Amino acid sequence: MLRTQFEEELLNLHNQFYEMGMMVSSAVHKSVRSYIDHDKKIAQEVIDHDIEINDMEVRLEKKSFEMIALQQPVTTDLRTIITIMKASSDLERMGDHAVSVAKSTIRLKGLPRILEVEKEINEMSNYVKKMVDNVLIAYVKTDEKDARMIAKMDERVNDYFQKIYDMTTNKMEKDSDTIISGTDYLHVAGYLERVGDYVTNICEWIVYLATGKITELNSNRNETF
């Protein structure tokens, strides 16, 4: 394979990864919007479009293995391909969590709502979407500094989850009619919390791409090796 052809294929991988990331960002936002608004049509759209995200992840992985086998890239090129392959897997899982939120919307049947909790979930969703969008930009720029800052944003996501957990369980204890909807709130907040974790994973891959070192972010160990 000629070097120019390899560079073109690498650029295509970049572009496809970014496109996949934008699709996932949209899915996360739409899924929570559908949940808050009880909009089953939008929820179904998220579920239906997930196959596109899954297909793109498969294509990226297949092309990555193919380029490694045929070109046997080294140093930066190899790190780029590995980063795309690993980070696209994280994106696919984020899409799965968006689907889980959408399925919660489909299940809703006029249950008692806890509006103050829904407000927090909406804010949490907007914050998580901001993380997803920012990490895609950091990837495009191979910006290690931004990646580390975005990873630290996950602490606030955890705070959102804890606040929603406390508010919801307190309400469920006082009003048994909210137990079913409250349980769903906890699930949705949990899905969003996991999306934040996957964003952190992508941040770690950006640091790897920039430095060649695998670094665990948001950990008490914070080891680099």
Side-chain angles (χ1 to χ4, degrees):
M1 185 187 295
L2 296 174
R3 176 67 194 180
T4 52
Q5 183 183 348
F6 174 80
E7 289 175 350
E8 285 179 9
E9 293 193 358
L10 197 57
L11 179 60
N12 284 335
L13 270 189
H14 272 298
N15 293 338
Q16 288 175 41
F17 175 80
Y18 186 80
E19 181 184 351
M20 181 182 179
M22 294 305 293
M23 289 170 64
V24 169
S25 175
S26 176
V28 170
H29 184 69
K30 282 184 174 180
S31 66
V32 177
R33 183 79 269 137
S34 71
Y35 184 78
I36 299 298
D37 294 344
H38 293 200
D39 192 327
K40 295 185 179 182
K41 181 180 178 183
I42 294 179
Q44 193 60 52
E45 286 178 11
V46 172
I47 295 168
D48 292 342
H49 288 165
D50 187 56
I51 190 171
E52 297 175 23
I53 294 173
N54 294 342
D55 287 347
M56 188 166 284
E57 194 260 339
V58 170
R59 290 199 304 272
L60 281 169
E61 184 179 69
K62 182 179 179 182
K63 188 62 182 178
S64 296
F65 279 126
E66 179 183 301
M67 291 177 70
I68 291 171
L70 294 179
Q71 187 72 2
Q72 297 181 340
V74 294
T75 61
T76 304
D77 290 338
L78 180 60
R79 292 207 305 267
T80 298
I81 295 173
I82 290 174
T83 296
I84 291 172
M85 188 165 55
K86 294 292 189 178
S88 64
S89 177
D90 290 322
L91 285 177
E92 191 273 333
R93 292 188 181 100
M94 289 156 64
D96 288 343
H97 288 305
V99 168
S100 295
V101 175
K103 286 180 176 178
S104 293
T105 302
I106 301 294
R107 289 196 302 268
L108 284 176
K109 294 181 180 179
L111 297 170
R113 301 169 66 177
I114 310 173
L115 297 181
E116 61 269 29
V117 172
E118 291 190 4
K119 178 178 178 292
E120 290 296 325
I121 289 175
N122 190 43
E123 289 183 9
M124 184 182 186
S125 165
N126 290 335
Y127 190 78
V128 168
K129 184 182 185 298
K130 181 180 178 182
M131 286 181 66
V132 176
D133 293 343
N134 286 352
V135 83
L136 293 174
I137 295 170
Y139 163 77
V140 169
K141 297 190 300 182
T142 317
D143 195 321
E144 177 194 358
K145 183 179 177 181
D146 276 3
R148 290 179 180 275
M149 288 174 59
I150 294 162
K152 285 191 174 297
M153 291 173 68
D154 191 47
E155 295 174 6
R156 186 170 170 186
V157 175
N158 296 336
D159 290 341
Y160 268 119
F161 176 80
Q162 189 60 53
K163 184 176 181 180
I164 290 167
Y165 178 87
D166 291 342
M167 290 172 67
T168 303
T169 53
N170 183 261
K171 186 69 174 180
M172 289 163 68
E173 287 173 0
K174 293 179 179 178
D175 184 358
S176 61
D177 289 341
T178 63
I179 288 177
I180 296 177
S181 56
T183 301
D184 243 1
Y185 290 144
L186 295 178
H187 285 151
V188 170
Y191 299 141
L192 289 173
E193 192 269 337
R194 290 297 294 140
V195 170
D197 289 342
Y198 285 122
V199 170
T200 299
N201 287 354
I202 295 175
C203 289
E204 292 174 355
W205 287 113
I206 293 170
V207 172
Y208 166 73
L209 179 59
T211 67
K213 297 178 180 178
I214 296 176
T215 304
E216 187 169 353
L217 304 176
N218 293 355
S219 167
N220 291 330
R221 298 189 307 275
N222 202 29
E223 295 173 347
T224 301
F225 54 92

PDB file of all heavy atoms in Angstrom, residues 61-97:
ATOM      1  N   GLU A  61     -13.639  -1.156  13.284  1.00  0.00           N
ATOM      2  CA  GLU A  61     -12.779  -2.214  13.813  1.00  0.00           C
ATOM      3  C   GLU A  61     -12.197  -3.073  12.682  1.00  0.00           C
ATOM      4  O   GLU A  61     -10.994  -3.373  12.678  1.00  0.00           O
ATOM      5  CB  GLU A  61     -13.577  -3.101  14.774  1.00  0.00           C
ATOM      6  CG  GLU A  61     -12.721  -4.177  15.438  1.00  0.00           C
ATOM      7  CD  GLU A  61     -13.521  -5.029  16.414  1.00  0.00           C
ATOM      8  OE1 GLU A  61     -14.393  -5.798  15.950  1.00  0.00           O
ATOM      9  OE2 GLU A  61     -13.269  -4.933  17.612  1.00  0.00           O
ATOM     10  N   LYS A  62     -13.038  -3.433  11.729  1.00  0.00           N
ATOM     11  CA  LYS A  62     -12.588  -4.262  10.605  1.00  0.00           C
ATOM     12  C   LYS A  62     -11.510  -3.550   9.802  1.00  0.00           C
ATOM     13  O   LYS A  62     -10.475  -4.135   9.456  1.00  0.00           O
ATOM     14  CB  LYS A  62     -13.778  -4.606   9.699  1.00  0.00           C
ATOM     15  CG  LYS A  62     -13.424  -5.502   8.525  1.00  0.00           C
ATOM     16  CD  LYS A  62     -14.665  -5.826   7.696  1.00  0.00           C
ATOM     17  CE  LYS A  62     -14.303  -6.694   6.503  1.00  0.00           C
ATOM     18  NZ  LYS A  62     -15.499  -6.980   5.651  1.00  0.00           N
ATOM     19  N   LYS A  63     -11.731  -2.255   9.520  1.00  0.00           N
ATOM     20  CA  LYS A  63     -10.753  -1.487   8.737  1.00  0.00           C
ATOM     21  C   LYS A  63      -9.468  -1.293   9.523  1.00  0.00           C
ATOM     22  O   LYS A  63      -8.371  -1.344   8.947  1.00  0.00           O
ATOM     23  CB  LYS A  63     -11.355  -0.126   8.360  1.00  0.00           C
ATOM     24  CG  LYS A  63     -10.484   0.676   7.382  1.00  0.00           C
ATOM     25  CD  LYS A  63     -10.322  -0.080   6.064  1.00  0.00           C
ATOM     26  CE  LYS A  63      -9.428   0.680   5.107  1.00  0.00           C
ATOM     27  NZ  LYS A  63      -9.237  -0.076   3.833  1.00  0.00           N
ATOM     28  N   SER A  64      -9.573  -1.114  10.821  1.00  0.00           N
ATOM     29  CA  SER A  64      -8.381  -0.941  11.656  1.00  0.00           C
ATOM     30  C   SER A  64      -7.501  -2.185  11.625  1.00  0.00           C
ATOM     31  O   SER A  64      -6.283  -2.099  11.417  1.00  0.00           O
ATOM     32  CB  SER A  64      -8.793  -0.627  13.098  1.00  0.00           C
ATOM     33  OG  SER A  64      -9.472   0.605  13.186  1.00  0.00           O
ATOM     34  N   PHE A  65      -8.107  -3.353  11.792  1.00  0.00           N
ATOM     35  CA  PHE A  65      -7.352  -4.609  11.731  1.00  0.00           C
ATOM     36  C   PHE A  65      -6.718  -4.804  10.354  1.00  0.00           C
ATOM     37  O   PHE A  65      -5.578  -5.262  10.238  1.00  0.00           O
ATOM     38  CB  PHE A  65      -8.266  -5.797  12.059  1.00  0.00           C
ATOM     39  CG  PHE A  65      -8.489  -6.013  13.528  1.00  0.00           C
ATOM     40  CD1 PHE A  65      -9.764  -6.089  14.052  1.00  0.00           C
ATOM     41  CD2 PHE A  65      -7.415  -6.163  14.394  1.00  0.00           C
ATOM     42  CE1 PHE A  65      -9.970  -6.294  15.409  1.00  0.00           C
ATOM     43  CE2 PHE A  65      -7.608  -6.371  15.755  1.00  0.00           C
ATOM     44  CZ  PHE A  65      -8.894  -6.434  16.264  1.00  0.00           C
ATOM     45  N   GLU A  66      -7.476  -4.445   9.320  1.00  0.00           N
ATOM     46  CA  GLU A  66      -6.992  -4.592   7.946  1.00  0.00           C
ATOM     47  C   GLU A  66      -5.760  -3.716   7.714  1.00  0.00           C
ATOM     48  O   GLU A  66      -4.765  -4.171   7.132  1.00  0.00           O
ATOM     49  CB  GLU A  66      -8.115  -4.196   6.976  1.00  0.00           C
ATOM     50  CG  GLU A  66      -7.731  -4.285   5.511  1.00  0.00           C
ATOM     51  CD  GLU A  66      -8.871  -3.802   4.619  1.00  0.00           C
ATOM     52  OE1 GLU A  66      -9.974  -4.380   4.697  1.00  0.00           O
ATOM     53  OE2 GLU A  66      -8.651  -2.828   3.868  1.00  0.00           O
ATOM     54  N   MET A  67      -5.806  -2.473   8.180  1.00  0.00           N
ATOM     55  CA  MET A  67      -4.677  -1.558   7.988  1.00  0.00           C
ATOM     56  C   MET A  67      -3.458  -2.001   8.778  1.00  0.00           C
ATOM     57  O   MET A  67      -2.322  -1.882   8.312  1.00  0.00           O
ATOM     58  CB  MET A  67      -5.091  -0.132   8.382  1.00  0.00           C
ATOM     59  CG  MET A  67      -6.101   0.488   7.421  1.00  0.00           C
ATOM     60  SD  MET A  67      -6.665   2.137   7.947  1.00  0.00           S
ATOM     61  CE  MET A  67      -5.157   3.095   7.669  1.00  0.00           C
ATOM     62  N   ILE A  68      -3.688  -2.541   9.984  1.00  0.00           N
ATOM     63  CA  ILE A  68      -2.565  -3.040  10.786  1.00  0.00           C
ATOM     64  C   ILE A  68      -1.911  -4.235  10.096  1.00  0.00           C
ATOM     65  O   ILE A  68      -0.675  -4.344  10.019  1.00  0.00           O
ATOM     66  CB  ILE A  68      -3.033  -3.425  12.205  1.00  0.00           C
ATOM     67  CG1 ILE A  68      -3.421  -2.161  12.994  1.00  0.00           C
ATOM     68  CG2 ILE A  68      -1.946  -4.199  12.942  1.00  0.00           C
ATOM     69  CD1 ILE A  68      -4.086  -2.445  14.327  1.00  0.00           C
ATOM     70  N   ALA A  69      -2.741  -5.126   9.558  1.00  0.00           N
ATOM     71  CA  ALA A  69      -2.216  -6.338   8.922  1.00  0.00           C
ATOM     72  C   ALA A  69      -1.471  -6.034   7.622  1.00  0.00           C
ATOM     73  O   ALA A  69      -0.404  -6.609   7.359  1.00  0.00           O
ATOM     74  CB  ALA A  69      -3.371  -7.305   8.639  1.00  0.00           C
ATOM     75  N   LEU A  70      -2.014  -5.127   6.817  1.00  0.00           N
ATOM     76  CA  LEU A  70      -1.438  -4.870   5.492  1.00  0.00           C
ATOM     77  C   LEU A  70      -0.277  -3.886   5.526  1.00  0.00           C
ATOM     78  O   LEU A  70       0.698  -4.034   4.787  1.00  0.00           O
ATOM     79  CB  LEU A  70      -2.521  -4.348   4.545  1.00  0.00           C
ATOM     80  CG  LEU A  70      -3.654  -5.330   4.202  1.00  0.00           C
ATOM     81  CD1 LEU A  70      -4.676  -4.675   3.283  1.00  0.00           C
ATOM     82  CD2 LEU A  70      -3.093  -6.599   3.556  1.00  0.00           C
ATOM     83  N   GLN A  71      -0.383  -2.865   6.379  1.00  0.00           N
ATOM     84  CA  GLN A  71       0.615  -1.798   6.392  1.00  0.00           C
ATOM     85  C   GLN A  71       1.646  -1.962   7.491  1.00  0.00           C
ATOM     86  O   GLN A  71       2.750  -1.441   7.389  1.00  0.00           O
ATOM     87  CB  GLN A  71      -0.088  -0.440   6.543  1.00  0.00           C
ATOM     88  CG  GLN A  71       0.814   0.765   6.409  1.00  0.00           C
ATOM     89  CD  GLN A  71       1.281   1.010   4.987  1.00  0.00           C
ATOM     90  OE1 GLN A  71       0.897   0.285   4.079  1.00  0.00           O
ATOM     91  NE2 GLN A  71       2.121   2.028   4.800  1.00  0.00           N
ATOM     92  N   GLN A  72       1.296  -2.708   8.532  1.00  0.00           N
ATOM     93  CA  GLN A  72       2.172  -2.884   9.691  1.00  0.00           C
ATOM     94  C   GLN A  72       2.730  -1.543  10.184  1.00  0.00           C
ATOM     95  O   GLN A  72       3.946  -1.335  10.257  1.00  0.00           O
ATOM     96  CB  GLN A  72       3.319  -3.849   9.360  1.00  0.00           C
ATOM     97  CG  GLN A  72       2.826  -5.253   9.022  1.00  0.00           C
ATOM     98  CD  GLN A  72       3.953  -6.222   8.729  1.00  0.00           C
ATOM     99  OE1 GLN A  72       5.067  -5.820   8.421  1.00  0.00           O
ATOM    100  NE2 GLN A  72       3.667  -7.497   8.816  1.00  0.00           N
ATOM    101  N   PRO A  73       1.817  -0.624  10.523  1.00  0.00           N
ATOM    102  CA  PRO A  73       2.250   0.715  10.947  1.00  0.00           C
ATOM    103  C   PRO A  73       2.975   0.675  12.288  1.00  0.00           C
ATOM    104  O   PRO A  73       2.787  -0.249  13.076  1.00  0.00           O
ATOM    105  CB  PRO A  73       0.929   1.481  11.066  1.00  0.00           C
ATOM    106  CG  PRO A  73      -0.082   0.419  11.378  1.00  0.00           C
ATOM    107  CD  PRO A  73       0.355  -0.784  10.614  1.00  0.00           C
ATOM    108  N   VAL A  74       3.801   1.691  12.536  1.00  0.00           N
ATOM    109  CA  VAL A  74       4.531   1.781  13.794  1.00  0.00           C
ATOM    110  C   VAL A  74       4.317   3.168  14.398  1.00  0.00           C
ATOM    111  O   VAL A  74       3.762   4.067  13.776  1.00  0.00           O
ATOM    112  CB  VAL A  74       6.045   1.525  13.592  1.00  0.00           C
ATOM    113  CG1 VAL A  74       6.276   0.083  13.146  1.00  0.00           C
ATOM    114  CG2 VAL A  74       6.624   2.500  12.564  1.00  0.00           C
ATOM    115  N   THR A  75       4.778   3.320  15.635  1.00  0.00           N
ATOM    116  CA  THR A  75       4.738   4.576  16.403  1.00  0.00           C
ATOM    117  C   THR A  75       3.391   5.284  16.300  1.00  0.00           C
ATOM    118  O   THR A  75       2.363   4.709  16.619  1.00  0.00           O
ATOM    119  CB  THR A  75       5.896   5.521  15.955  1.00  0.00           C
ATOM    120  OG1 THR A  75       5.743   5.834  14.570  1.00  0.00           O
ATOM    121  CG2 THR A  75       7.234   4.847  16.177  1.00  0.00           C
ATOM    122  N   THR A  76       3.398   6.543  15.817  1.00  0.00           N
ATOM    123  CA  THR A  76       2.192   7.373  15.864  1.00  0.00           C
ATOM    124  C   THR A  76       1.047   6.792  15.057  1.00  0.00           C
ATOM    125  O   THR A  76      -0.114   6.818  15.490  1.00  0.00           O
ATOM    126  CB  THR A  76       2.505   8.795  15.355  1.00  0.00           C
ATOM    127  OG1 THR A  76       3.574   9.349  16.121  1.00  0.00           O
ATOM    128  CG2 THR A  76       1.275   9.690  15.491  1.00  0.00           C
ATOM    129  N   ASP A  77       1.348   6.258  13.877  1.00  0.00           N
ATOM    130  CA  ASP A  77       0.288   5.688  13.032  1.00  0.00           C
ATOM    131  C   ASP A  77      -0.394   4.524  13.727  1.00  0.00           C
ATOM    132  O   ASP A  77      -1.623   4.405  13.706  1.00  0.00           O
ATOM    133  CB  ASP A  77       0.863   5.215  11.686  1.00  0.00           C
ATOM    134  CG  ASP A  77       1.284   6.373  10.797  1.00  0.00           C
ATOM    135  OD1 ASP A  77       0.764   7.493  11.009  1.00  0.00           O
ATOM    136  OD2 ASP A  77       2.119   6.153   9.896  1.00  0.00           O
ATOM    137  N   LEU A  78       0.392   3.665  14.345  1.00  0.00           N
ATOM    138  CA  LEU A  78      -0.172   2.512  15.046  1.00  0.00           C
ATOM    139  C   LEU A  78      -1.010   2.978  16.237  1.00  0.00           C
ATOM    140  O   LEU A  78      -2.107   2.463  16.473  1.00  0.00           O
ATOM    141  CB  LEU A  78       0.942   1.576  15.522  1.00  0.00           C
ATOM    142  CG  LEU A  78       0.478   0.323  16.276  1.00  0.00           C
ATOM    143  CD1 LEU A  78      -0.435  -0.534  15.410  1.00  0.00           C
ATOM    144  CD2 LEU A  78       1.674  -0.497  16.750  1.00  0.00           C
ATOM    145  N   ARG A  79      -0.515   3.972  16.968  1.00  0.00           N
ATOM    146  CA  ARG A  79      -1.267   4.500  18.111  1.00  0.00           C
ATOM    147  C   ARG A  79      -2.600   5.100  17.651  1.00  0.00           C
ATOM    148  O   ARG A  79      -3.613   4.963  18.334  1.00  0.00           O
ATOM    149  CB  ARG A  79      -0.446   5.560  18.869  1.00  0.00           C
ATOM    150  CG  ARG A  79       0.764   5.019  19.578  1.00  0.00           C
ATOM    151  CD  ARG A  79       1.151   5.868  20.783  1.00  0.00           C
ATOM    152  NE  ARG A  79       1.366   7.270  20.468  1.00  0.00           N
ATOM    153  CZ  ARG A  79       2.547   7.808  20.172  1.00  0.00           C
ATOM    154  NH1 ARG A  79       3.618   7.032  20.099  1.00  0.00           N
ATOM    155  NH2 ARG A  79       2.653   9.097  19.941  1.00  0.00           N
ATOM    156  N   THR A  80      -2.573   5.757  16.512  1.00  0.00           N
ATOM    157  CA  THR A  80      -3.809   6.361  15.985  1.00  0.00           C
ATOM    158  C   THR A  80      -4.849   5.288  15.693  1.00  0.00           C
ATOM    159  O   THR A  80      -6.024   5.418  16.073  1.00  0.00           O
ATOM    160  CB  THR A  80      -3.516   7.152  14.696  1.00  0.00           C
ATOM    161  OG1 THR A  80      -2.619   8.222  14.989  1.00  0.00           O
ATOM    162  CG2 THR A  80      -4.803   7.721  14.110  1.00  0.00           C
ATOM    163  N   ILE A  81      -4.432   4.220  15.038  1.00  0.00           N
ATOM    164  CA  ILE A  81      -5.368   3.147  14.678  1.00  0.00           C
ATOM    165  C   ILE A  81      -5.900   2.460  15.935  1.00  0.00           C
ATOM    166  O   ILE A  81      -7.103   2.185  16.050  1.00  0.00           O
ATOM    167  CB  ILE A  81      -4.692   2.132  13.737  1.00  0.00           C
ATOM    168  CG1 ILE A  81      -4.354   2.805  12.397  1.00  0.00           C
ATOM    169  CG2 ILE A  81      -5.602   0.929  13.496  1.00  0.00           C
ATOM    170  CD1 ILE A  81      -3.530   1.942  11.458  1.00  0.00           C
ATOM    171  N   ILE A  82      -5.014   2.189  16.882  1.00  0.00           N
ATOM    172  CA  ILE A  82      -5.436   1.544  18.133  1.00  0.00           C
ATOM    173  C   ILE A  82      -6.414   2.433  18.884  1.00  0.00           C
ATOM    174  O   ILE A  82      -7.430   1.963  19.415  1.00  0.00           O
ATOM    175  CB  ILE A  82      -4.210   1.220  19.010  1.00  0.00           C
ATOM    176  CG1 ILE A  82      -3.396   0.083  18.376  1.00  0.00           C
ATOM    177  CG2 ILE A  82      -4.644   0.825  20.422  1.00  0.00           C
ATOM    178  CD1 ILE A  82      -2.091  -0.209  19.078  1.00  0.00           C
ATOM    179  N   THR A  83      -6.122   3.739  18.921  1.00  0.00           N
ATOM    180  CA  THR A  83      -7.006   4.684  19.610  1.00  0.00           C
ATOM    181  C   THR A  83      -8.401   4.676  18.992  1.00  0.00           C
ATOM    182  O   THR A  83      -9.413   4.621  19.699  1.00  0.00           O
ATOM    183  CB  THR A  83      -6.419   6.111  19.552  1.00  0.00           C
ATOM    184  OG1 THR A  83      -5.186   6.139  20.275  1.00  0.00           O
ATOM    185  CG2 THR A  83      -7.392   7.122  20.165  1.00  0.00           C
ATOM    186  N   ILE A  84      -8.468   4.740  17.674  1.00  0.00           N
ATOM    187  CA  ILE A  84      -9.772   4.734  16.987  1.00  0.00           C
ATOM    188  C   ILE A  84     -10.518   3.438  17.273  1.00  0.00           C
ATOM    189  O   ILE A  84     -11.718   3.447  17.569  1.00  0.00           O
ATOM    190  CB  ILE A  84      -9.584   4.922  15.470  1.00  0.00           C
ATOM    191  CG1 ILE A  84      -9.095   6.351  15.174  1.00  0.00           C
ATOM    192  CG2 ILE A  84     -10.881   4.640  14.718  1.00  0.00           C
ATOM    193  CD1 ILE A  84      -8.702   6.593  13.733  1.00  0.00           C
ATOM    194  N   MET A  85      -9.812   2.330  17.216  1.00  0.00           N
ATOM    195  CA  MET A  85     -10.435   1.023  17.427  1.00  0.00           C
ATOM    196  C   MET A  85     -10.986   0.887  18.850  1.00  0.00           C
ATOM    197  O   MET A  85     -12.117   0.451  19.061  1.00  0.00           O
ATOM    198  CB  MET A  85      -9.413  -0.085  17.146  1.00  0.00           C
ATOM    199  CG  MET A  85      -9.982  -1.491  17.147  1.00  0.00           C
ATOM    200  SD  MET A  85      -8.831  -2.670  16.395  1.00  0.00           S
ATOM    201  CE  MET A  85      -7.349  -2.411  17.370  1.00  0.00           C
ATOM    202  N   LYS A  86     -10.202   1.299  19.823  1.00  0.00           N
ATOM    203  CA  LYS A  86     -10.621   1.183  21.221  1.00  0.00           C
ATOM    204  C   LYS A  86     -11.695   2.211  21.573  1.00  0.00           C
ATOM    205  O   LYS A  86     -12.684   1.892  22.246  1.00  0.00           O
ATOM    206  CB  LYS A  86      -9.408   1.363  22.145  1.00  0.00           C
ATOM    207  CG  LYS A  86      -8.364   0.275  22.042  1.00  0.00           C
ATOM    208  CD  LYS A  86      -8.881  -1.046  22.575  1.00  0.00           C
ATOM    209  CE  LYS A  86      -7.773  -2.081  22.675  1.00  0.00           C
ATOM    210  NZ  LYS A  86      -8.268  -3.364  23.251  1.00  0.00           N
ATOM    211  N   ALA A  87     -11.502   3.452  21.140  1.00  0.00           N
ATOM    212  CA  ALA A  87     -12.446   4.516  21.483  1.00  0.00           C
ATOM    213  C   ALA A  87     -13.798   4.314  20.799  1.00  0.00           C
ATOM    214  O   ALA A  87     -14.838   4.659  21.358  1.00  0.00           O
ATOM    215  CB  ALA A  87     -11.865   5.877  21.113  1.00  0.00           C
ATOM    216  N   SER A  88     -13.794   3.735  19.599  1.00  0.00           N
ATOM    217  CA  SER A  88     -15.066   3.474  18.916  1.00  0.00           C
ATOM    218  C   SER A  88     -15.882   2.423  19.665  1.00  0.00           C
ATOM    219  O   SER A  88     -17.112   2.463  19.671  1.00  0.00           O
ATOM    220  CB  SER A  88     -14.830   3.024  17.463  1.00  0.00           C
ATOM    221  OG  SER A  88     -14.141   1.788  17.410  1.00  0.00           O
ATOM    222  N   SER A  89     -15.195   1.513  20.337  1.00  0.00           N
ATOM    223  CA  SER A  89     -15.882   0.528  21.169  1.00  0.00           C
ATOM    224  C   SER A  89     -16.557   1.216  22.353  1.00  0.00           C
ATOM    225  O   SER A  89     -17.684   0.875  22.726  1.00  0.00           O
ATOM    226  CB  SER A  89     -14.880  -0.521  21.667  1.00  0.00           C
ATOM    227  OG  SER A  89     -15.508  -1.450  22.524  1.00  0.00           O
ATOM    228  N   ASP A  90     -15.881   2.214  22.925  1.00  0.00           N
ATOM    229  CA  ASP A  90     -16.481   2.990  24.023  1.00  0.00           C
ATOM    230  C   ASP A  90     -17.701   3.768  23.522  1.00  0.00           C
ATOM    231  O   ASP A  90     -18.718   3.851  24.217  1.00  0.00           O
ATOM    232  CB  ASP A  90     -15.454   3.948  24.624  1.00  0.00           C
ATOM    233  CG  ASP A  90     -14.368   3.226  25.409  1.00  0.00           C
ATOM    234  OD1 ASP A  90     -14.697   2.233  26.096  1.00  0.00           O
ATOM    235  OD2 ASP A  90     -13.198   3.637  25.339  1.00  0.00           O
ATOM    236  N   LEU A  91     -17.588   4.343  22.331  1.00  0.00           N
ATOM    237  CA  LEU A  91     -18.723   5.071  21.754  1.00  0.00           C
ATOM    238  C   LEU A  91     -19.923   4.142  21.553  1.00  0.00           C
ATOM    239  O   LEU A  91     -21.068   4.522  21.831  1.00  0.00           O
ATOM    240  CB  LEU A  91     -18.337   5.694  20.406  1.00  0.00           C
ATOM    241  CG  LEU A  91     -17.457   6.935  20.422  1.00  0.00           C
ATOM    242  CD1 LEU A  91     -17.138   7.359  18.990  1.00  0.00           C
ATOM    243  CD2 LEU A  91     -18.132   8.082  21.162  1.00  0.00           C
ATOM    244  N   GLU A  92     -19.658   2.940  21.082  1.00  0.00           N
ATOM    245  CA  GLU A  92     -20.750   1.986  20.841  1.00  0.00           C
ATOM    246  C   GLU A  92     -21.481   1.662  22.133  1.00  0.00           C
ATOM    247  O   GLU A  92     -22.708   1.582  22.161  1.00  0.00           O
ATOM    248  CB  GLU A  92     -20.174   0.716  20.202  1.00  0.00           C
ATOM    249  CG  GLU A  92     -21.231  -0.245  19.660  1.00  0.00           C
ATOM    250  CD  GLU A  92     -21.745  -1.221  20.717  1.00  0.00           C
ATOM    251  OE1 GLU A  92     -20.972  -1.501  21.668  1.00  0.00           O
ATOM    252  OE2 GLU A  92     -22.898  -1.673  20.604  1.00  0.00           O
ATOM    253  N   ARG A  93     -20.741   1.513  23.216  1.00  0.00           N
ATOM    254  CA  ARG A  93     -21.363   1.228  24.508  1.00  0.00           C
ATOM    255  C   ARG A  93     -22.170   2.428  25.001  1.00  0.00           C
ATOM    256  O   ARG A  93     -23.222   2.260  25.622  1.00  0.00           O
ATOM    257  CB  ARG A  93     -20.286   0.847  25.534  1.00  0.00           C
ATOM    258  CG  ARG A  93     -19.606  -0.491  25.226  1.00  0.00           C
ATOM    259  CD  ARG A  93     -18.690  -0.924  26.355  1.00  0.00           C
ATOM    260  NE  ARG A  93     -18.025  -2.180  26.066  1.00  0.00           N
ATOM    261  CZ  ARG A  93     -16.769  -2.278  25.628  1.00  0.00           C
ATOM    262  NH1 ARG A  93     -16.064  -1.186  25.428  1.00  0.00           N
ATOM    263  NH2 ARG A  93     -16.225  -3.444  25.380  1.00  0.00           N
ATOM    264  N   MET A  94     -21.681   3.634  24.726  1.00  0.00           N
ATOM    265  CA  MET A  94     -22.436   4.835  25.076  1.00  0.00           C
ATOM    266  C   MET A  94     -23.766   4.856  24.327  1.00  0.00           C
ATOM    267  O   MET A  94     -24.809   5.224  24.886  1.00  0.00           O
ATOM    268  CB  MET A  94     -21.612   6.083  24.747  1.00  0.00           C
ATOM    269  CG  MET A  94     -20.434   6.268  25.681  1.00  0.00           C
ATOM    270  SD  MET A  94     -19.078   7.267  24.987  1.00  0.00           S
ATOM    271  CE  MET A  94     -19.880   8.839  24.781  1.00  0.00           C
ATOM    272  N   GLY A  95     -23.729   4.447  23.065  1.00  0.00           N
ATOM    273  CA  GLY A  95     -24.959   4.357  22.284  1.00  0.00           C
ATOM    274  C   GLY A  95     -25.927   3.349  22.879  1.00  0.00           C
ATOM    275  O   GLY A  95     -27.147   3.573  22.880  1.00  0.00           O
ATOM    276  N   ASP A  96     -25.396   2.257  23.402  1.00  0.00           N
ATOM    277  CA  ASP A  96     -26.249   1.249  24.046  1.00  0.00           C
ATOM    278  C   ASP A  96     -26.973   1.822  25.259  1.00  0.00           C
ATOM    279  O   ASP A  96     -28.136   1.507  25.511  1.00  0.00           O
ATOM    280  CB  ASP A  96     -25.410   0.036  24.483  1.00  0.00           C
ATOM    281  CG  ASP A  96     -24.952  -0.812  23.305  1.00  0.00           C
ATOM    282  OD1 ASP A  96     -25.532  -0.671  22.203  1.00  0.00           O
ATOM    283  OD2 ASP A  96     -24.015  -1.615  23.490  1.00  0.00           O
ATOM    284  N   HIS A  97     -26.280   2.675  26.016  1.00  0.00           N
ATOM    285  CA  HIS A  97     -26.910   3.289  27.188  1.00  0.00           C
ATOM    286  C   HIS A  97     -27.990   4.282  26.767  1.00  0.00           C
ATOM    287  O   HIS A  97     -29.012   4.415  27.452  1.00  0.00           O
ATOM    288  CB  HIS A  97     -25.863   3.960  28.070  1.00  0.00           C
ATOM    289  CG  HIS A  97     -24.999   2.989  28.814  1.00  0.00           C
ATOM    290  ND1 HIS A  97     -25.518   2.008  29.637  1.00  0.00           N
ATOM    291  CD2 HIS A  97     -23.654   2.809  28.844  1.00  0.00           C
ATOM    292  CE1 HIS A  97     -24.535   1.290  30.152  1.00  0.00           C
ATOM    293  NE2 HIS A  97     -23.392   1.758  29.682  1.00  0.00           N
TER     294      HIS A  97
END
